[in-house]
Amino acid sequence: MSQYHPVRFVDVRLEGSFWKERLDTVLATTILSQHRRLDESGALEQLKLPKPVPPLRHPRGANGVTVHVFWDSDVGKWIEAASYALSHRRDAVIEARIEAIIDDFERAQEPDGYLNSFYTEREPENRWTNLRDNHELYNAGHMLEGAIAYYETTGRRRWLDIMERFIALIAKTFGTGPGQKRGYCGHPEIELALVKLYHLTGEKKHLELASYFVDEHGRQDPHYYDVELEERRRRGIDNQLYAHGDYKYNQAHMPLRDQTKVVGHAVRAMYMYAAMADLAVENGDAALKAACETLWDDVMITKMYVTGGLGPSAHNEGFTYDYDLPNQTAYAETCASVALILWAQRMLHLDLDGKYADVLETALYNGALSGLSRDGEHYFYANPLESNGSAKRWEWHPCPCCTMNVSRLVASVGGYFLSTAPDGLAIHLYGGISASREIAGTTVAIREQSNYPWSGDIRISLDPEAPTAFDLKLRIPGWAKSFSLSVNGVPVTAQPVNGYVTVHRTWNKGDSIALDLPMPAERVYANPGVIMDIGRVALQRGPLVYCLEEADNAGGAVQRLKLPRDAELEAVRRADLFDGIVTLTAPARAIEPQDFTALYRTAPPRERPSSLTALPYYLWANRGQGSMVVWIPEA
Amino acid sequence: MSQYHPVRFVDVRLEGSFWKERLDTVLATTILSQHRRLDESGALEQLKLPKPVPPLRHPRGANGVTVHVFWDSDVGKWIEAASYALSHRRDAVIEARIEAIIDDFERAQEPDGYLNSFYTEREPENRWTNLRDNHELYNAGHMLEGAIAYYETTGRRRWLDIMERFIALIAKTFGTGPGQKRGYCGHPEIELALVKLYHLTGEKKHLELASYFVDEHGRQDPHYYDVELEERRRRGIDNQLYAHGDYKYNQAHMPLRDQTKVVGHAVRAMYMYAAMADLAVENGDAALKAACETLWDDVMITKMYVTGGLGPSAHNEGFTYDYDLPNQTAYAETCASVALILWAQRMLHLDLDGKYADVLETALYNGALSGLSRDGEHYFYANPLESNGSAKRWEWHPCPCCTMNVSRLVASVGGYFLSTAPDGLAIHLYGGISASREIAGTTVAIREQSNYPWSGDIRISLDPEAPTAFDLKLRIPGWAKSFSLSVNGVPVTAQPVNGYVTVHRTWNKGDSIALDLPMPAERVYANPGVIMDIGRVALQRGPLVYCLEEADNAGGAVQRLKLPRDAELEAVRRADLFDGIVTLTAPARAIEPQDFTALYRTAPPRERPSSLTALPYYLWANRGQGSMVVWIPEA
C-alpha cells in the first residue's frame, strides 16, 4: 500500500461547519485571552532577561507568584496555537505580540544557543542537571513546534533560526559520543518536535537526534536519572521531590521497545508514543512499530474512557491499572486527549487503519474538545465523566498546559482531515473543508461539505485540473453500522477494508461523491472489567458521546435518572441550544427523593415515569454548575 | 424520667459470646502486639527523658523516623485499652510493661507538672504555643483516660497522681482569669477526659475546666488560633502547615452552641460532641443539649455511612457536604466510628432514646469493629464500603490512633450494655454478660445470655437479693420489625416508647425474661440524595451490615453481581467460617465478562443466573485481598 502522509494545517481551509465555529471562537477570543492570561501570570514577564533586580534563586513556593520551569513551553505553545489560527486569518495585533515575544527570546538566548528563561535567570550553572523533572528539553520541543508553525504560517524565520541554534546546542550536548551527556527528557516532546523539524528542513540530523532520545529513554545500567541524581547530590543541588520511585512515571522504567503496558503520566506517555510512531514511520523501524501497536492495544482494551479521556488518577496525572476508570474522580487531562490525537494520527500513517482514526475522532469531539468552553476562555484541566455539581470551568491554571493544547488543536484541526499518497487521497474526518493537493501529478481541489457531526450526510467534490486516476479512500467510522456511497449519483458498493472504502477511478472536474452515514443514537456499554460502569449505559450518536446535565433535566441530580434498556432514543435538533445542536431524549425512570426523609430505610425509593435529555459531552458545564453523568444507570 | 447512668466497664463481665471472643483475642494478642509495635515505632523510646544524645529540634520529616507530637496519646490509649482488658483477666507481664511506662512518665514530668515528651525534649520553651495543631491537651486527655482506667482496674494511683498534677497545671494555665491563656485544643479529647476525672473524683473543678474548654471553643474576636498564630510569627516559630483556612477543620469556626452543621475532621468532631453531651448532662445545659441534638440530626440525616462510618474524605479526614458518601474512597476512619459510639452513649444518657443506642450498635458491630482484624493484630484506618481488591489491612501505621481506639473499644464494650437509674435498669445491647448493680436499694445480679448478633433469642435473668420493684427497660432495636417478650414465661404486651419497652414489677430472685427479636435478612436503601448508592441495595440482618467479598463469590469482581429486587434472602449458619457466623445468600444475576473483549461495545454484557453470598462487613479483608462491596447493584 502506498504511504500516506498528512496534509499540513496550512493547506486545509475550514469552511462553514462545526469546526469553523470553534476556530472562529479561538481566533476571536481564545488567542488574545490566552495572551492576556500568560501576561497576568508572569510567564511573559519571565522571558524578559536580564532582570533589573536579580530574582531569588529558588523562588518556587515563596513570595507569591511561583515561576514555573515549564513556562517557556506555554509561551511556545501559545505561539503555535496562534500561528495555526493566523493561517486562517492573519491578524496584525496578534502578530505584533508574537514578534515582541520573539524579541524576548532573542535577548534571552545565551551566546552558545541555550534558551531557557528559568535557568538562564536563576541557575545558569545548573542547566541540564535535572532532565527528569525540569522540562528543559520539553520546553525546547514546544518552542520548536511554535517556531515551525509560525514559520509555516508567516514565512518569518527569525524564531526558527533561534531555535535551530538551540537545537544545534542540544545535539552537541546529548548523545553517545565522548563528552556528551546520555540524557533524555523526563517529559517527552522534543522528540516529535525534532521530527517536525526534519519534515520541514529535510535534515537527517534532526531525525537522528530524535532517534537518539527515543533509544536512550529508559536505558538501564546505569539509568541516566540515577546518574544525574548522583551528580546533583554530589553538588548539593538536589532539591526536587520525586515521588514516583521506579521512573514509570516518565515511561523510563525500561527501554521503550520493551514496554508492553501503558504506565505513568498520561501526557508524557502519549507524547512519547507519538514520537515512537513518528520514528517507526521515518526509520521503517519494525520493532518500534510493534511496540507502538502493543501499547496502543493496551490503552484501547483496558485504559481509555469512552470520551477518549486518558489517565484516571490525579496522583500521577496518569495511568493506574487495567479497567480503572472512575467517573467522578477521572483526571482525564485535556492534554492527554490532545496527545492521544497526536499519537493516533501518527499510527494512522504507520497503517491506514480506521481504528486509529476512530480513536482520533472520539478524543477530538469529546475528551479534548470538552477542555475548551463554548465562550473560548474557560477551561477544564480534568475532564471527569460525572459531577455532583461542584465541577466548574476555570479561567486559568498555574500549569496552563491544557489551555494552549486545546487551542492549538482546534486551530490546527484541518490538518487531521486528509492524507495523501502519490496515488491516493484518504479522507479521515468529515465536516466542511477545502484543500488543494497534488495527487498523481495533478493538482486536485478537494471540498467536503456536511453538517457533521450533527448529520452523516456528506458531500465531497473533487476537481482535478485534468482527468487523473487515483484511489479515493473514505473512512467509514467504527460507529457507523451502515453507509451508502455514490459517485456522481451512481451507487458504489465497495466494502470497507480496515475502516476505509476505496474508490479507484479516473477523476474528472466536478466529480461529486455522496457518502451517507446514518447516525442513530446508540447505547454503549463498558467492559464488565470496568466495575464503575456496571449497570450503566452511555449514549453516543455519530462521534459524539452524550451526557445528562442538570440544566436539561429538571429535578436535581441527574444521577437519579435511569434509562430503561428498551426505551427508544430520539435525536432532536435543537436550534435553541448552543446555536443548534442535536440532543437525545428518551423515556426514563426518575427516582424520587421527596418521600425519603431518613438516610436509610428498608423500602426502596419511589420511582416515577419521566424523561431524560442528553447533551453532547463536550458542551457540559457551559451553563453554570450542576450535576452531570455520562454513564447513566439502566432501569 | 429518672436519670440513667452508664455502668462502668469494670462492673460488667463478658461471658461466652460474640464479644467475649473478641475480648479474648485482644487480651491474648492485641495488647502485647500493640506494645511491641509502639516499641518498634519509637513511641516508647521517645518517653525516656532526658536522652543521652540531644535530638534535632525539628526532626519531623528528616532522618528516618519521625517523632510525632501525638505519640504520648497513643501510649496513653494503649494503657487504657490494656487496663480494660486487665479488668477481665489480670496479667503480670502486661502490668509490668505499664509500670515501666509510668516510670518513664514520672521521670518525664517537669517540676511544674507539665508532661509532654515531645516538647520537653525538643522545644521546652515552646510549650502551649500551638494548641491548634500540636495536640498537647489532646495527649493529656488520652493519658488521663489511661490513668483513670488503670486506676479503676488495679487501684494503683501513681499515674493518676501524675496526671492530676498535670491537670492542675493545665487548669492554672488556661482560663479567663488574669495571666491565663484563653486557649483550647485543636483536637478535642481533654474535655471528655476531664468529665471522667470528675466522675471518678467528684471534684467540680474538673467539670469546670471541661466547661471552660467547651465554652471557649470557636470563640471569635479575637480567635485564639489567630492570637497564638500571631504570637508564633512574632517569635519566628510558625513552622506548621495548616491547610484548613477557616478552622472548620477543628470545629472552631464559631462557638459550639451556634453550630448546626457537622464539619471538619470527623474524629475531632465526634470527641467534641461527646464532651458537649457530657456537659449537657452534668450541667443541665439545655442550649448545649439542643446543639448536640441538632448536630446529631445533621449526621444521621445526611452524613453517616450505613456501617456507622463517618467522614468521606481523606483530604480533611472528615466531612464534606450532605449526602457525600462515596464507597470505594470512603475514609470512614475507625477512630471516627469509635468516637461516634462515645457520643451516642452520652446522648443516650441525655435522653434514653433508642435512636442513640441504634447508632451506637451500628457503629460498634460494623464501622468500628471492621478496624480490627480477626487475628487481632491487623488494622484498617480507613473503612471503605467498596474495594477493587487493593485494600489490605496493615500491621501498623505512622499515626496509630485507630489501633488502640478499637482495642480499647472492644476491651470496654461491657460498659455499653447497661445503664441504671435509682429505680431502674436499662439494657441497651444484647449478648452474654453478667453484672451486679444496686437498684432501688437492692443488689441485683443481672445476666444476659444469647447468641446475639447471630440470633435474637435473648434470655435475661435478674436476681435481686430481695424482692424489689423497679423498671426494667429493654431496648427494641430500630432494625427489629417485631418482638415478643415474656417474664417467667408469661407474655408481656408492652409497646416500646422511644425504643425501649418498660416492665415495671417487683422482681424476685430467679426471674427470667425472654426477649425474642426476629432477625430476617433485610434490604436497606439509601436516600436518593446519596447519588453513589442509587440503584444499589445493602443487606442487613440484626445489627450487622453485610458485604459481598470475593472469597465467598467465585468469578472475580463482586461488583459484577446483581441482586434482583424480588430475590429471597436466606440466612445460613456457617460453622465453617470464622468459628461460626451467619451469612446471607440469594439468587443473583452475574454479569459475564468473558465474551466482552473490547473496552466498549453497543451490545450489553451478558448476564447469567447465579447466586451471591454476603458476609458481615466487619469480617471483610481477613482472607487476603479481593474485591468487596456493601452496596450491591440491583437487577
Side-chain angles (χ1 to χ4, degrees), chain B residues 496-542:
Chain B
V497 175
N498 290 333
Y500 287 80
V501 285
T502 303
V503 183
H504 182 87
R505 56 179 282 160
T506 298
W507 298 98
N508 293 291
K509 213 173 205 22
D511 276 350
S512 166
I513 298 105
L515 172 64
D516 191 36
L517 301 169
M519 271 190 186
E522 296 269 13
R523 284 173 166 77
V524 177
Y525 294 88
N527 187 301
V530 186
I531 57 176
M532 305 77 174
D533 297 338
I534 285 173
R536 293 172 180 267
V537 63
L539 301 181
Q540 187 164 347
R541 181 175 177 270

Side-chain angles (χ1 to χ4, degrees), chain B residues 231-242:
Chain B
E231 174 65 9
R232 286 199 302 279
R233 288 192 174 148
R234 199 186 59 74
R235 294 182 48 200
I237 56 166
D238 187 46
N239 56 357
Q240 297 286 317
L241 182 72
Y242 183 81

Side-chain angles (χ1 to χ4, degrees), chain B residues 362-373:
Chain B
T362 294
L364 180 63
Y365 279 100
N366 303 287
L369 190 55
S370 64
L372 182 65
S373 68

Side-chain angles (χ1 to χ4, degrees), chain A residues 347-348 351-358 498-500:
Chain A
M347 294 303 287
L348 187 59
D351 280 318
L352 195 75
D353 190 322
K355 71 180 182 183
Y356 300 121
D358 285 346
N498 290 335
Y500 288 79

Side-chain angles (χ1 to χ4, degrees), chain A residues 201-426:
Chain A
T201 64
E203 292 184 278
K204 273 275 185 191
K205 64 183 179 187
H206 302 309
L207 194 62
E208 285 159 9
L209 183 55
S211 299
Y212 157 81
F213 284 131
V214 166
D215 291 342
E216 286 298 304
H217 203 102
R219 192 174 58 83
Q220 312 286 312
D221 306 316
H223 194 291
Y224 183 75
Y225 296 160
D226 293 336
V227 172
E228 65 166 18
L229 175 66
E230 206 44 56
E231 173 66 10
R232 286 198 303 279
R233 288 190 173 148
R234 199 185 59 72
R235 292 183 49 199
I237 56 166
D238 187 47
N239 56 356
Q240 298 286 318
L241 182 72
Y242 182 82
H244 309 280
D246 55 6
Y247 301 136
K248 274 187 184 159
Y249 176 74
N250 312 84
Q251 296 79 43
H253 55 300
M254 62 171 75
L256 291 167
R257 283 177 176 75
D258 299 340
Q259 298 189 23
T260 59
K261 297 293 285 181
V262 171
V263 296
H265 188 278
V267 182
R268 297 177 200 234
M270 293 302 116
Y271 278 21
M272 187 82 265
Y273 307 153
M276 288 163 65
D278 260 342
L279 292 171
V281 172
E282 297 303 337
N283 296 334
D285 185 330
L288 211 48
K289 182 183 181 210
C292 287
E293 289 166 346
T294 301
L295 293 165
W296 180 270
D297 287 348
D298 186 47
V299 174
M300 295 309 142
I301 295 172
T302 66
K303 296 192 176 65
M304 188 177 75
Y305 284 100
V306 70
T307 53
L310 294 179
S313 170
H315 172 67
N316 65 344
E317 300 194 307
F319 297 101
T320 52
Y321 49 88
D322 288 357
Y323 299 123
D324 183 33
L325 295 166
N327 291 306
Q328 194 172 325
T329 59
Y331 199 65
E333 184 180 339
T334 302
C335 282
S337 290
V338 172
L340 172 60
I341 293 167
L342 301 179
W343 185 27
Q345 190 199 28
R346 285 155 177 82
M347 294 303 287
L348 187 59
H349 293 93
L350 264 172
D351 280 318
L352 195 75
D353 190 322
K355 71 180 182 183
Y356 300 121
D358 285 346
V359 167
L360 191 161
E361 188 181 53
T362 294
L364 179 64
Y365 279 100
N366 302 288
L369 190 56
S370 64
L372 182 65
S373 68
R374 182 75 185 158
D375 67 12
E377 48 186 351
H378 291 82
Y379 307 90
F380 276 133
Y381 195 109
N383 294 274
L385 279 77
E386 178 173 355
S387 173
N388 56 26
S390 63
K392 199 178 151 181
R393 293 176 179 276
W394 35 268
E395 293 185 335
W396 201 243
H397 195 280
C399 172
C401 51
C402 295
T403 59
M404 269 77 67
N405 239 339
V406 71
S407 60
R408 73 174 179 146
L409 174 72
V410 170
S412 65
V413 74
Y416 297 96
F417 275 69
L418 310 173
S419 299
T420 56
D423 57 353
L425 168 68

